[in-house]
Amino acid sequence: MPASAADVARGVSRLLIGEGFSPILEFTLANGRRLDVAALAPDGTMAGVEIKVSTADLKGDIKWPEYLEFCELFYFAIPPDFPDALVPANTGLIVADRYGGAIV
């Protein structure tokens, strides 16, 4: 069964908690855009994560650069079977399933 966005969000949240961040799902930024996961580190570093579970969603997403001004760290999060070569090279990458994830 393919991973759902909820599965990836759960794994991303577990990973970020393990890295010392406090994640929140579906976080609305000041510009009205919504991050799938936003996470705050104890030192105030903001990480933003956009989850993609389909290639069509990734290829059609032109709004993600609007998140960057609000984040010191920005990642796309994908399930393990997603073709990571499609993820923009100038972003971070998290590979996650419902049990956890890794920053690649």
Side-chain angles (χ1 to χ4, degrees):
M1 175 163 62
S4 69
D7 291 338
V8 175
R10 182 177 180 204
V12 165
S13 294
R14 287 178 166 198
L15 167 67
L16 292 172
I17 289 168
E19 295 291 323
F21 284 82
S22 297
I24 185 170
L25 303 180
E26 305 289 331
F27 183 76
T28 302
L29 299 168
N31 65 0
R33 294 291 186 197
R34 182 196 41 80
L35 276 168
D36 292 325
V37 182
L40 191 62
D43 67 359
T45 298
M46 172 76 156
V49 182
E50 183 69 3
I51 296 170
K52 299 298 178 192
V53 295
S54 77
T55 57
D57 185 24
L58 178 62
K59 289 178 180 179
D61 187 349
I62 58 170
K63 67 187 182 322
W64 70 266
E66 296 177 34
Y67 303 142
L68 300 179
E69 69 180 289
F70 299 96
C71 308
E72 282 81 27
L73 304 169
F74 180 79
Y75 302 92
F76 279 101
I78 59 173
D81 59 349
F82 193 95
D84 63 349
L86 299 176
V87 175
N90 57 339
T91 65
L93 177 62
I94 296 173
V95 177
D97 61 19
R98 66 179 296 122
Y99 303 106
I103 297 171
V104 179

